[in-house]
Amino acid sequence: MGNIDSRAAFNGGYLYVKADKEYYYAGDVVYGKIYIRCEVPMQAKHLEVRLKGKEKMSFWRTTGGKNKRRHKVKTSKMLINFRAVCHTFDPALGPLPPGDYTIPFEFTLPLGMPASIMYHNINHHDMPKAVVKYSFKAKIVNHDKSILKYKQLIVVHEPPVAFNPETVASQIVPIKSCCC
């Protein structure tokens, strides 16, 4: 697994998630792999995956007449929160032996998902901030209740608009002039 992301390391190995592309569109199938490097025997119970998407927005608002007061307005919305156990380790086989394991996965992104965005304007008086982000998380739960996890962000783009060369737009506007 070469140069590994430090977030993937745990005591006794690594857990890493890699999607096949840099970005996706709503409705696309996401293919990827979960990489596990086990350096010591692991009492693994199951491997859980989670697709999560959320939208958050905040800005500062001034209220009141003479006694002006500023307060922060915040809102948040869960767009998708899917969780499933994708593999259960058989306890009869004993602990997961040391070695490298690769588990492929695939899932379809729902249609109608808004595009990913990260916006923050600190130069504006109201300091608006908007975030739409999606992540895929792999998590190994051990029999001793310890958890190994890794989260990979997923970027969702708006679908491209089809260019139609036959489309013509025209506008007629009367000319107005002002003379002094």
Side-chain angles (χ1 to χ4, degrees), residues 2 10 20 41 44 48-49 56 60 65 76 93 98 102 107 134-135 137 139 143 145 158 160 171 175:
F10 62 89
D20 66 328
E48 184 178 298
V49 293
K56 296 197 291 189
W60 286 91
S76 129
L93 298 175
T102 303
F107 59 88
Y134 301 95
S135 63
K137 184 188 283 188
K139 179 163 74 169
H143 286 286
K145 307 235 189 233
E158 285 290 326
Q171 183 176 12
I175 299 175

Side-chain angles (χ1 to χ4, degrees), residues 34-92:
I34 300 168
Y35 297 99
I36 303 168
R37 172 167 284 167
C38 192
E39 295 171 346
V40 295
M42 185 185 333
Q43 298 292 330
K45 184 177 179 184
H46 65 264
L47 174 64
E48 184 178 298
V49 293
R50 182 176 189 177
L51 175 63
K52 188 171 166 181
K54 57 184 165 181
E55 168 184 278
K56 296 197 291 189
M57 181 273 309
S58 68
F59 61 92
W60 286 91
R61 177 64 68 211
T62 304
T63 58
K66 292 181 181 178
N67 299 327
K68 292 187 179 190
R69 200 183 81 158
R70 285 182 57 80
H71 65 277
K72 192 170 192 174
V73 178
K74 295 196 299 188
T75 183
S76 129
K77 178 181 176 183
M78 187 64 68
L79 300 171
I80 186 168
N81 191 8
F82 173 77
R83 183 186 313 192
V85 172
C86 73
H87 183 76
T88 302
F89 297 97
D90 187 357

